[in-house]
Amino acid sequence: MKAKSKGAKRRREVHEDAPHQEAAQKRDELLKCSRRQEKRNKASAKKLCPVHWLPWSNKDRRLRRLESNERERQRMHNLNNAFQALREVIPHVRAENKLSKIETLTLAKNYIKSLTSTILRMSNGHLPPAVDGSSSGSRSKLYEHYQQQCGEEESTEQLQKYSTQIHSFRQGS
DNA sequence: TAGGCCATCTGGTCCT
DNA sequence: AGGACCAGATGGCCTA
């Protein structure tokens, strides 16, 4: 998946495009995992302090580990879903040029900054009323926050930065 | 082949 | 106590 990491994309596409192969894929993955695990278990056996395994039988430990792994996998999938959702709301990026995680975060940060500066520039005190009913209140809060986050950077600089990044990501595809 | 990116496993630590 | 979170390690896949 990465535009850049097509390996992962390919792995995922296999699941999406051929559901009947899922079981085989899963078996394959589990086989790989168990091989890795055997290797790691051997490697880490010396490092394990007895206090970590005494209360548990090998079977129990193994079971608990597998459960933790599953939860961790699920957690990472959720995280990746969130990344995907974020990618989808960043404009001007061609779908086939999938952003990496670091690109996504960087671009999103600058996009937010540029939006904020645009809002401030265009609003001229016409922002919707804040909770307390004063529009100038909400504007000044936004401005305050913007100042905190952006420091001395000018809004045009933000826009420039964002569009430059968009441009470079496009070229990199 | 090296380097980038990713998924997964793992053990430690934090939180509820 | 058990789950969530985190960071390091490892290996696979891809591109230049």
Side-chain angles (χ1 to χ4, degrees):
Chain A
M1 150 154 44
K2 34 191 186 170
K4 309 174 167 193
S5 86
K6 276 137 194 160
K9 179 179 190 180
R10 194 159 287 179
R11 280 196 293 274
R12 199 160 303 160
E13 280 171 352
V14 168
H15 283 255
E16 286 162 359
D17 299 344
H20 57 282
Q21 291 178 353
E22 203 167 303
Q25 284 285 323
K26 217 161 193 171
R27 273 200 307 277
D28 191 45
E29 187 60 40
L30 283 174
L31 193 63
K32 283 182 194 168
C33 287
S34 66
R35 282 184 194 141
R36 282 183 205 160
Q37 197 162 3
E38 277 176 31
K39 207 171 175 181
R40 279 167 193 161
N41 284 346
K42 282 177 191 169
S44 63
K46 290 169 192 169
K47 284 194 286 182
L48 277 179
C49 169
V51 74
H52 284 113
W53 51 264
L54 267 179
W56 305 98
S57 70
N58 274 340
K59 203 175 172 184
D60 283 346
R61 256 191 303 143
R62 172 83 182 141
L63 187 61
R64 293 172 66 79
R65 226 320 120 190
L66 288 176
E67 287 168 354
S68 296
N69 291 350
E70 179 58 35
R71 281 192 301 272
E72 177 65 6
R73 222 177 297 132
Q74 195 56 50
R75 195 180 72 84
M76 294 310 293
H77 287 166
N78 290 339
L79 184 63
N80 288 335
N81 288 342
F83 265 105
Q84 186 52 38
L86 185 56
R87 282 183 191 105
E88 285 166 10
V89 297
I90 300 176
H92 306 310
V93 175
R94 288 199 300 260
E96 70 269 23
N97 182 22
K98 187 166 185 180
L99 296 172
S100 70
K101 291 179 177 179
I102 186 69
E103 285 169 343
T104 302
L105 292 178
T106 306
L107 202 50
K109 182 196 76 174
N110 289 319
Y111 179 50
I112 290 169
K113 283 186 175 182
S114 74
L115 283 182
T116 306
S117 66
T118 303
I119 290 170
L120 286 170
R121 199 153 29 82
M122 297 178 73
S123 63
N124 273 334
H126 297 308
L127 284 178
V131 182
D132 65 1
S134 69
S135 65
S136 61
S138 72
R139 184 175 187 271
S140 63
K141 276 179 190 167
L142 185 60
Y143 185 71
E144 210 174 283
H145 179 74
Y146 178 73
Q147 286 293 317
Q148 273 179 1
Q149 300 303 314
C150 300
E152 298 302 312
E153 285 175 302
E154 295 293 329
S155 60
T156 50
E157 239 178 274
Q158 288 303 320
L159 286 168
Q160 183 70 42
K161 206 170 172 181
Y162 177 67
S163 58
T164 303
Q165 272 185 330
I166 290 283
H167 187 66
S168 67
F169 288 158
R170 279 179 159 184
Q171 283 185 326
S173 67

